[in-house]
Amino acid sequence: MTPATPESSTATEPTAQPSKTAPAAAGTTGPADDKLDPAFMRMAAVLLLALLMALLDETIVNVGLTTLSGTFDSPLENVQWVTGGYLLAVAAATPFAGWAVDRFGGRTMWLTAVLLFVLGSTLSGAAWSLPALIVFRVLQGIGGGMIVPVVQSVLATTAGPSRVAKAMALISLPLTLGPILGPVLGGVLVDAVSWRWMFLINIPIGVVALLLALRTLPAGDHGSRSDERLDVLGLVLLSPGFAALVYGLTTAARDSDVASPQVVVSFVLGALLLVGYVVHALRTTVVPLIDLRMFKLRGFTMAVVTMFFVGAVANGLLFLTPLYYQQSRDFGALHAGLLLIPSGVLGAAGAITSGKTANKVTARLTSAVGMLLTALGALAFSGVGADTNTAWLSVAIGLTGYGIGLTAPGTMAFMYQAVGPERATRATSALFIVNQIGGALGIAVIAITLQSRLADTEGHPAGAYGGTYAAVIAFGVVAALAALALPGSFRAKAPAQPEGGADPSPESAAV
């Protein structure tokens, strides 16, 4: 996820619907103060610990699927539901998270999500059969699906407009490191201990996070709309619609066949449910889970579009690059995972850079440059062969990570500036959903392209992999163009604050 960095009083695009009730972090000294004080940093550290735990678990199991297949004497296509069930549960839980934070408060929902995640992890580690493991992973996914949007919305609203870009830079650290470290940690645990520890490792981390949260998360947070009714029909339409699309894209990637009956039915069902949600959301008298009227704001829309393609780029790289190392270079899974570490480390560096420069330049610049750097790094992989120097490729994959890290914080912060704090939680759910769909689409496009090129390539498969990186480059360039369409100039300027805090130029965020 990534914002076009108009953060705080230095932003070029002011909030479309400013709120006088935006929560402020402890120690906030005023709208012009963009410092992250110690109290905020302690709270953020606890929240992000759980976020990292959830993100690790999205990929940690991938390297253990073969082991699980042998343990439960089950074919790999059945074992893949250990990851598939988790991802579908994440998809189903995400739309609920925004309403739940508004209704019950960020502290309550964070504690609930982490408790569900730890419980699902404990049961998964004790699973006695494959069906039991899949069921427990679904429970774990429900908690994990709420953790990401809850953490993001709590930090964004607590930081306030002047510090939101720096808060998003903090969130980007686990977002870039988690998917990279997951396969490495999973490989070590499976090889050195037991497959059960892919899940049990979450217990001590989760317990520590929960104990720390009781001391650091502010009490008395009961939600800003404690009397708001749940949009039940919207949930019935949106959650399964989102899950159906993700399932269809995942199946298309797995089978490299976009026209299979499973995929077509999933796409049709998902499209019908989402169209139904659109009709419902525009006519309902209750507050919808995702207010589609936010898309009238150009800043919000272009930030979401940018993040859609960032999801395609990031997930495409994480899918394609380890495959190249394993299938074209005959490296083991752990070796391939270690070669991705530069992406995570430099991704964190890119996020820090984005946060530090947020009061000088806007996300229109940082996000566009970040995606162009990512496309440049992918370009280096387009010419890979059977013996391409791995040190050179490590530099290239590090460049892609830096570009993604530079892009995400600013784009996410820009989105929050566009919608205002009152709609921040619902905007978070929308952004996360679109980002996840973009990631699933990216993997599907790359998997189908790769399979087609492998079928047409004679000799060593390295050439097929190199050509497939063209899809990643294309996604990166489109993301850069979307970032350039964000409202405002390239340099951040402090807008004049009229009396009463009204938005000086609300048209800058509108279509």
Side-chain angles (χ1 to χ4, degrees):
M1 300 179 172
T2 43
T5 316
E7 66 147 35
S8 75
S9 57
T10 61
T12 60
E13 183 186 28
T15 301
Q17 289 193 347
S19 170
K20 299 178 183 177
T21 60
T28 299
T29 60
D33 184 4
D34 65 352
K35 303 292 185 183
L36 297 178
D37 56 88
F40 182 89
M41 292 299 292
R42 286 193 295 271
M43 180 191 71
V46 176
L47 294 174
L48 295 179
L49 180 61
L51 179 60
L52 178 62
M53 179 178 65
L55 291 169
L56 282 172
D57 230 67
E58 288 192 9
T59 56
I60 196 172
V61 181
N62 291 348
V63 298
L65 292 180
T66 302
T67 300
L68 293 174
S69 178
T71 299
F72 294 116
D73 192 24
S74 183
L76 198 57
E77 56 264 30
N78 293 341
V79 175
Q80 286 175 338
W81 279 104
V82 174
T83 56
Y86 180 90
L87 293 176
L88 290 178
V90 168
T94 299
F96 172 78
W99 171 84
V101 170
D102 282 344
R103 176 66 173 80
F104 301 107
R107 185 179 193 266
T108 298
M109 289 315 302
W110 185 90
L111 292 171
T112 301
V114 174
L115 279 171
L116 284 174
F117 189 86
V118 172
L119 177 60
S121 300
T122 304
L123 294 172
S124 295
W128 55 88
S129 68
L130 183 60
L133 178 57
I134 293 171
V135 170
F136 298 147
R137 280 282 283 174
V138 168
L139 176 62
Q140 191 185 34
I142 293 172
M146 291 192 292
I147 286 175
V148 179
V150 167
V151 169
Q152 187 171 326
S153 62
V154 168
L155 286 183
T157 53
T158 305
S162 67
R163 308 188 296 178
V164 67
K166 292 184 182 296
M168 293 304 99
L170 291 177
I171 287 177
S172 294
L173 299 180
L175 286 175
T176 54
L177 288 171
I180 301 295
L181 297 179
V184 176
L185 181 59
V188 171
L189 292 173
V190 170
D191 291 343
V193 192
S194 164
W195 65 266
R196 297 185 183 277
W197 277 95
M198 294 190 296
F199 311 108
L200 296 178
I201 192 159
N202 294 320
I203 299 175
I205 298 174
V207 169
V208 169
L210 287 167
L211 292 175
L212 291 175
L214 295 176
R215 299 187 61 182
T216 58
L217 299 189
D221 175 13
H222 302 301
S224 59
R225 304 172 188 173
S226 57
D227 59 345
E228 185 176 298
R229 291 190 295 119
L230 174 63
D231 178 13
V232 177
L233 179 56
L235 185 65
V236 169
L237 293 169
L238 185 58
S239 287
F242 176 30
L245 279 185
V246 171
Y247 174 75
L249 290 168
T250 304
T251 304
R254 185 192 68 202
D255 301 336
S256 298
D257 183 8
V258 74
S260 70
Q262 268 185 306
V263 173
V264 172
V265 170
S266 297
F267 284 165
V268 171
L269 178 61
L272 289 174
L273 288 170
L274 292 181
V275 168
Y277 176 79
V278 170
V279 174
H280 161 74
L282 294 176
R283 301 176 62 181
T284 183
T285 57
V286 302
V287 179
L289 291 173
I290 294 177
D291 186 358
L292 300 180
R293 294 175 181 84
M294 290 188 295
F295 286 94
K296 291 181 179 180
L297 303 173
R298 178 182 162 200
F300 173 79
T301 299
M302 296 317 300
V304 168
V305 170
T306 301
M307 288 308 301
F308 174 85
F309 287 104
V310 169
V313 170
N315 285 272
L317 283 169
L318 285 175
F319 173 78
L320 184 59
T321 307
L323 277 180
Y324 160 70
Y325 282 131
Q326 292 177 75
Q327 296 187 0
S328 183
R329 305 294 293 273
D330 294 326
F331 293 167
L334 181 57
H335 190 179
L338 291 171
L339 289 171
L340 294 178
I341 288 180
S343 175
V345 173
L346 289 181
I352 294 172
T353 302
S354 179
K356 286 184 175 296
T357 59
N359 61 346
K360 300 181 179 67
V361 295
T362 67
R364 190 180 187 197
L365 177 61
T366 54
S367 298
V369 170
M371 280 294 96
L372 289 177
L373 288 175
T374 301
L376 184 63
L379 181 63
F381 276 86
S382 65
V384 291
D387 54 358
T388 304
N389 186 279
T390 54
W392 162 245
L393 294 180
S394 295
V395 172
I397 199 66
L399 184 61
T400 66
Y402 184 85
I404 293 169
L406 186 64
T407 301
T411 307
M412 291 188 289
F414 195 97
M415 180 200 72
Y416 289 120
Q417 291 287 335
V419 301
E422 287 185 344
R423 295 190 286 185
T425 54
R426 309 301 173 96
T428 299
S429 293
L431 183 66
F432 188 71
I433 286 172
V434 171
N435 182 256
Q436 291 288 96
I437 292 176
L441 175 65
I443 292 175
V445 169
I446 286 170
I448 293 170
T449 303
L450 176 61
Q451 189 60 36
S452 175
R453 293 186 66 87
L454 285 171
D456 296 338
T457 300
E458 296 181 1
H460 202 279
Y465 280 91
T468 305
Y469 277 94
V472 179
I473 297 169
F475 287 137
V477 171
V478 173
L481 293 174
L484 286 173
L486 290 166
S489 64
F490 289 112
R491 295 196 63 81
K493 299 176 183 177
Q497 293 294 328
E499 187 176 352
D503 184 353
S505 56
E507 69 274 9
S508 66
V511 174

